[in-house]
Amino acid sequence: MNDYIMEVKDLKTHFHTKKGVVKAVDGVSFKVKKGEILAIVGESGCGKSVTSQSIMRLVGRKKSEEVTGEVLYNGENLMLKTEEEMRKVRGKDLSMIFQDPMTSLNPAYTVGTQIAEMPLIHERTGKKTAWKRAVEMLTKVGIPSPAKRASQYPHQFSGGMRQRGVIAMSLACDPDLIIADEPTTALDVTIQAQVLDLLRALRDDTGAAIILVTHDLGVVAELCDKVAVMYAGKIVEQGKIEDIFDRPSHPYTKGLLNSVPRPGKRERLQPIEGQPPNLHDLPNGCRFAERCPFVMDICREKEPELLAVDSDEHTSACWLEEEGRENDNRRDSKSRGAEEVL
Ligand SMILES: Nc1ncnc2c1ncn2[C@@H]1O[C@H](COP(=O)(O)OP(=O)(O)OP(=O)(O)O)[C@@H](O)[C@H]1O
Ligand SMILES: [Mg+2]
């Protein structure tokens, strides 16, 4: 049986612009199991949102947006679906929570109406059942006086409540996978924590998988099972939470970890110097080479591949890893040679 709710294979999203081709996502692959929370992290502009939007097929509709690769949802390739088929998938099987709740909420309709629309469209329930579901969902996400609130408009909600409303909407049809793109960035710290607790509780409750896009490593450490670290359109390291936090391999991951405060760690913070490369004028070789404190000649010549570090699940794309592996092999063959002599 296939345990993976989602398998993304070699996803590429290239934008054709006047300035040239912007390779916003350039060969991204990852898998998410049922009930798992995967974090996608990386600096601003590295392609996290474009990855999420490409999975939902929200980009790729215009001629200038070229999306290739496979997005398997329960083994079915979403890339081959028509727009109409995708509309049935969105909101029901897969749902997305955007950073700004007003992207998802229409100011002209009550919050209850917008939540109720989900079961109305996707499950063809009656209006009464749909409204009941809307109130139920608002209760679930912790909105006080949910029956009254359901009849109010988005502007009558506070920012935190609006984001809860959006979460309620995205959960109304019990999706298997939720993609949450910086769902708490616009909120203050206390509300952030509440929304994250809510996401965790929902995962525990419904068994939905979550892809969480964030640049907050604190959130990642607390909430997620796995992490994919993106840099300039590629995943440079991927692994279980302890792989990434306790045994990071890629210098970029190490740089990210050193640049933010982490619970329990008191070392001095060191930002990563320099800027990511221009996505329409990418260098040969490793995209992080320019900023890497360990750069070698080969890094500027050839692009490193994602290879296993200490387990098949922990992968990193760095020539240092490769070199370490060769040294180990050399050591191994030397010791084998010594054994033969003995
Ligand atoms: N429609 C578009 N046309 C051209 N370039 C685009 C388009 N959409 C996004 N990009 C570019 O793709 C790159 C990746 O953008 P994306 O929004 O995925 O970054 P991100 O990792 O989500 O960053 P942030 O953390 O700031 O949200 C950026 O350089 C962005 O300018
Ligand atoms: Mg983004």
Side-chain angles (χ1 to χ4, degrees), residues 132-182:
K132 229 177 105 192
R133 177 90 60 86
V135 175
E136 205 180 287
M137 294 318 296
L138 286 175
T139 315
K140 206 169 192 173
V141 298
I143 301 262
S145 326
K148 188 178 133 220
R149 287 290 185 176
S151 309
Q152 292 185 339
Y153 290 86
H155 74 266
Q156 292 170 291
F157 276 45
S158 70
M161 266 167 50
R162 265 182 227 149
Q163 194 60 304
R164 281 166 189 266
V166 170
I167 295 177
M169 199 158 106
S170 72
L171 295 171
C173 292
D174 205 6
D176 300 324
L177 177 72
I178 301 157
I179 303 181
D181 187 355
E182 311 257 14

Side-chain angles (χ1 to χ4, degrees), residues 14 24 47 72 79 122-124 141 173 178 184 191 196 200 213 243 307 312:
H14 294 178
L72 303 181
M79 290 296 172
H122 292 297
E123 297 171 14
R124 298 182 186 278
V141 298
C173 292
I178 301 157
T184 61
I191 314 275
L196 293 170
R200 193 194 342 245
V213 170
D243 294 331
L307 294 172
D312 286 347

Side-chain angles (χ1 to χ4, degrees), residues 16 31 47 102 113 128 135 139 152 155 160 176 184 218 226 242 260 297 306 317 332:
H16 296 266
K31 296 176 182 181
M102 287 318 275
T113 307
K128 248 191 177 159
V135 175
T139 315
Q152 292 185 339
H155 74 266
D176 300 324
T184 61
K226 288 197 312 197
E242 56 272 23
V260 292
D297 288 343
L306 262 182
D332 279 357

Side-chain angles (χ1 to χ4, degrees), residues 236-239 243-244 247-250 305-318 320-322 324-325 328:
V236 294
E237 183 163 2
Q238 199 167 174
D243 294 331
I244 302 298
R247 299 179 296 280
S249 151
H250 200 284
E305 277 177 55
L306 262 182
L307 294 172
V309 180
D310 41 21
S311 74
D312 286 347
E313 278 186 280
H314 184 193
T315 52
S316 169
C318 177
L320 279 173
E321 270 301 328
E322 188 77 346
R325 217 170 278 131
D328 285 348

